[in-house]
Amino acid sequence: MSKAELAERILSVLKTLPKDRIKHYASFKDVQIARFLDAAFIEKTPEEDLKLQYIALRDLVNDKYKNYYKLDDKLLKPKGNPQYYDRIMSEIKGEKKETWLSAMRTVVFGK
Amino acid sequence: MLRQNTRVALQLSARLSVSARAFHQGSSILNKEEITSPLQIAKDSHLPNIPQEFKKPPRQASKKAPFLSDHKVESKTYEMSSFTQNLGQFVVKFLNIDMDKTRAGPIAGSYYFGECKRQGMYYPDEPDSDTAKFFYQTLNLPKSFSQWFQITALHYWILSVRMRAMPFQYGKNYQQKLVDRIFSDMEMRMSIEMGINSSRIIEGYLKDYHTQLLGLVVSYDEGLVTDDITLAAALWRNVFSGNPNADVRHIEALVGYVRQQLYVLNKMSDREFGFGKFSFVPPDQVVKLLTKAQEEKLRAEAKAAFADRTAPSDRSVLSLDE
């Protein structure tokens, strides 16, 4: 596989990444796309390394580690605070905002 | 109506990206599925290192403070005299002290704190430990106080994921003790090791680090429950400081490192974790999956080990089964 083809593949994987749910100071997707669009970078990088970059990205997108090291509900629905991750995710996705009262409850009781 | 439309569009784009991902899964150039150690994964890549730019080089420690403290109980060789031990056991029994609550101090506030601190710790005049080599030489992270904090905060978060799964009041207490100790240690290090004389400046830095901690915990939590790429992006923003030249292979290695620690913690019972039986898996080792039989064997061994710990100070309500 040529270097140009590898760069194209990397870019096509990067373009499938979802947008950040909340805006951060830098976006992984945008920064990496800019990096692999840079012809000079592709030019000076050996093919072998470019291939590794592609494999790494592909493994991450395919959830290689999440699927291999599977976690039980023990950690994902912690018995001390079963709604913990659901509340964070619904807040991040903007589905359900915390109200003043529920926020105060978290401050006072910790959950 | 508008909201419905956007929802349909969102679902559609999600479906599209799934099919695009499936395509990449099928057309692999080198389908290596076995898992290797984070160190090996990171070492495979030979991209030239482009160092991050600083306005001025990061300040390095000029002195060395004790790793934990000067206090004798935190030294490795300390052994309590039998008289003090008996007196202590009597007090615990007589006052019916909740040992799970008390234990958070020595375990989370001292042992687990030391574990978190050790991983990214380096001293300018001493050779690096193996984990420090992984972070500063293999992953090419800059040697600075802020970088050390990011590594420590990552390990704090890994432990706090497990602490959340403990009974609420105990888990919360463990988290509190650990994070308190991390920040009081940072205050001490900034004044003694880094030589910052103004307590106002130290306080300002501590507030900054606290804000960073809040942000990274949310980002890592999001990565934990969603997917690897979200966790990777969170690690890139925090541990790799959003470095545009960061090697994706290195980020992958760190994702593997984090996930394998979480897997070990997932398999550990509350009681073992609460008694400080966990230590981080070094990056040059790889965690293999446990079979059902192995898991049961480990469980049985843990039960046997705790069966003869009947002293009042060993009392615990933490579960041995999960």
Side-chain angles (χ1 to χ4, degrees):
Chain A
M1 206 180 296
S2 74
K3 282 207 267 187
E5 209 175 321
L6 273 168
E8 206 171 291
R9 278 192 173 211
I10 292 173
L11 282 169
S12 72
V13 180
L14 282 171
K15 280 174 188 157
T16 64
L17 298 188
K19 237 180 100 186
D20 283 347
R21 291 180 188 88
I22 24 179
K23 203 168 158 30
H24 300 290
Y25 73 93
S27 153
F28 180 72
K29 181 181 177 180
D30 297 346
V31 169
Q32 291 298 327
I33 286 181
R35 182 173 176 229
F36 287 101
L37 276 176
D38 180 8
F41 170 72
I42 303 293
E43 187 57 43
K44 68 174 184 231
T45 311
E47 197 183 319
E48 211 38 49
D49 284 334
L50 221 48
K51 201 186 255 180
L52 275 178
Q53 298 288 302
Y54 171 63
I55 292 172
L57 206 58
R58 195 200 60 196
D59 284 348
L60 287 175
V61 167
N62 287 334
D63 284 343
K64 178 178 174 183
Y65 296 94
K66 187 188 177 187
N67 293 333
Y68 188 77
Y69 292 120
K70 273 206 173 70
L71 299 180
D72 301 330
D73 270 356
K74 179 168 123 182
L75 289 196
L76 299 177
K77 296 247 180 287
K79 64 172 175 264
N81 194 354
Q83 298 298 314
Y84 179 83
Y85 295 105
D86 298 339
R87 278 176 71 189
I88 286 191
M89 284 317 289
S90 67
E91 179 77 28
I92 289 175
K93 286 180 188 160
E95 286 164 353
K96 211 176 100 208
K97 286 271 170 205
E98 293 287 310
T99 60
W100 185 83
L101 221 75
S102 66
M104 281 315 283
R105 196 190 63 201
T106 315
V107 172
V108 176
F109 298 107
K111 64 174 170 178
Chain B
M1 183 65 192
L2 190 70
R3 193 179 284 173
Q4 256 179 353
N5 276 345
T6 43
R7 199 177 297 160
V8 171
L10 276 176
Q11 280 171 348
L12 200 68
S13 70
R15 215 173 295 156
L16 275 178
S17 68
V18 167
S19 61
R21 287 178 198 188
F23 166 74
H24 282 284
Q25 201 166 18
S27 66
S28 60
I29 34 173
L30 215 163
N31 225 337
K32 256 181 30 183
E33 274 314 312
E34 79 270 28
I35 300 268
T36 41
S37 74
L39 182 72
Q40 195 51 51
I41 295 173
K43 269 190 171 171
D44 283 347
S45 180
H46 299 290
L47 276 191
N49 172 32
I50 305 170
Q52 291 175 39
E53 280 174 30
F54 292 99
K55 279 186 204 142
K56 50 181 181 181
R59 186 196 288 243
Q60 298 300 341
S62 51
K63 268 189 208 152
K64 190 177 170 184
F67 183 76
L68 287 173
S69 69
D70 277 333
H71 200 284
K72 62 175 181 185
V73 294
E74 286 203 305
S75 78
K76 273 180 189 162
T77 49
Y78 176 71
E79 225 169 282
M80 204 183 269
S81 71
S82 62
F83 172 73
T84 335
Q85 271 193 41
N86 290 336
L87 184 72
Q89 300 288 14
F90 173 75
V91 171
V92 169
K93 197 175 174 186
F94 187 68
L95 296 179
N96 200 15
I97 291 174
D98 184 355
M99 281 310 289
D100 286 323
K101 218 165 186 186
T102 312
R103 206 173 288 117
I107 301 296
S110 176
Y111 172 68
Y112 282 143
F113 156 72
E115 278 289 293
C116 290
K117 181 177 178 181
R118 195 184 323 276
Q119 307 303 320
M121 200 58 205
Y122 67 92
Y123 296 101
D125 307 327
E126 290 179 21
D128 288 338
S129 68
D130 284 348
T131 8
K133 268 187 200 149
F134 171 70
F135 285 111
Y136 300 114
Q137 292 173 22
T138 315
L139 300 188
N140 292 322
L141 297 172
K143 276 188 167 176
S144 70
F145 188 83
S146 295
Q147 189 63 60
W148 166 84
F149 168 73
Q150 282 296 340
I151 296 168
T152 309
L154 172 67
H155 289 89
Y156 157 73
W157 172 78
I158 293 173
L159 290 179
S160 78
V161 169
R162 183 66 187 81
M163 288 171 184
R164 269 179 216 131
M166 294 166 82
F168 184 74
Q169 51 166 337
Y170 299 126
K172 186 91 190 155
N173 193 26
Y174 271 69
Q175 278 179 323
Q176 190 71 56
K177 289 285 186 308
L178 178 53
V179 83
D180 282 355
R181 183 75 194 267
I182 289 176
F183 276 85
S184 69
D185 174 72
M186 273 165 55
E187 191 177 358
M188 185 272 295
R189 279 190 64 208
M190 275 195 262
S191 98
I192 298 177
E193 293 190 350
M194 314 305 283
I196 304 175
N197 292 321
S198 157
S199 60
R200 189 180 59 83
I201 293 176
I202 292 181
E203 205 168 301
Y205 281 131
L206 287 178
K207 279 184 184 160
D208 274 358
Y209 287 127
H210 179 244
T211 318
Q212 285 185 31
L213 186 76
L214 297 181
L216 66 85
V217 167
V218 175
S219 293
Y220 294 160
D221 280 342
E222 182 195 4
L224 172 72
V225 284
T226 49
D227 41 29
D228 274 352
I229 195 78
T230 314
L231 182 60
L235 289 170
W236 170 76
R237 278 196 311 273
N238 290 291
V239 179
F240 290 86
S241 322
N243 179 8
N245 300 311
D247 188 334
V248 186
R249 190 80 177 163
H250 289 173
I251 304 174
E252 186 199 5
L254 198 57
V255 171
Y257 176 77
V258 171
R259 289 270 183 202
Q260 70 175 12
Q261 313 288 351
L262 290 171
Y263 180 79
V264 175
L265 285 168
N266 183 45
K267 294 293 173 203
M268 199 168 242
S269 68
D270 278 358
R271 180 82 69 94
E272 290 166 283
F273 180 72
F275 275 69
K277 299 285 177 214
F278 176 77
S279 56
F280 290 103
V281 182
D284 57 347
Q285 291 178 19
V286 62
V287 172
K288 295 272 184 226
L289 299 186
L290 288 179
T291 61
K292 268 265 172 293
Q294 284 171 326
E295 223 173 290
E296 270 159 29
K297 192 173 162 239
L298 281 174
R299 225 22 54 106
E301 278 173 13
K303 278 181 183 165
F306 279 100
D308 51 1
R309 296 183 71 158
T310 48
S313 65
D314 283 331
R315 274 192 306 217
S316 174
V317 294
L318 296 178
S319 160
L320 265 168
D321 294 311
E322 59 171 14

